[in-house]
Amino acid sequence: QVQLVESGGGLVQAGGSLRLSCAASGRTFSRYAMGWFRQAPGKEREFVSAISWSGGATYYADSVKGRFTISRDNAKNTVYLQMNSLKPEDTAVYYCAADVELLPKHYDYWGQGTQVTVSS
């Protein structure tokens, strides 16, 4: 069982930056691949980024490539999403997810989400 708690969301102007954090419970964090997803109002949840167990492999949606960076600190049981050059279309609730499989079709564990609002 893994519990995930996101933080770091907020209101930022276009062009600004935010860093999201996702803290995981348990001692086996390093056994889980992690992902970030987002859901804007009226839209389906979409993939943003993912990272392998060791952090050696990372993946990004085309819409955020070059602007967002995913990383993890297994000693702190935390995964991060550094978001730069934010755009109004990045506004959404951001969720982190965990699974023993890298890039699974369905992640086993989800956080409660953190709101990111980018004003124009």
Side-chain angles (χ1 to χ4, degrees), residues 39-96:
Q39 186 167 19
K43 294 187 177 182
E44 292 188 354
R45 186 167 58 193
E46 64 174 359
F47 170 80
V48 174
S49 183
I51 189 166
S52 63
W53 311 268
S54 66
T58 57
Y59 305 85
Y60 298 95
D62 287 343
S63 58
V64 306
K65 204 170 291 183
R67 300 188 298 122
F68 290 11
T69 302
I70 191 171
S71 61
R72 67 188 295 162
D73 185 338
N74 287 343
K76 295 183 178 179
N77 282 12
T78 302
V79 62
Y80 305 97
L81 186 67
Q82 178 67 44
M83 305 187 296
N84 298 330
S85 302
L86 283 162
K87 305 175 181 180
E89 51 263 44
D90 294 318
T91 295
V93 178
Y94 283 71
Y95 300 90
C96 70

Side-chain angles (χ1 to χ4, degrees), residues 4-7 36-37 93-96 110-116:
L4 305 172
V5 179
E6 301 96 335
S7 61
W36 283 99
F37 290 76
V93 178
Y94 283 71
Y95 300 90
C96 70
W110 292 85
Q112 83 291 347
T114 186
Q115 176 70 48
V116 171

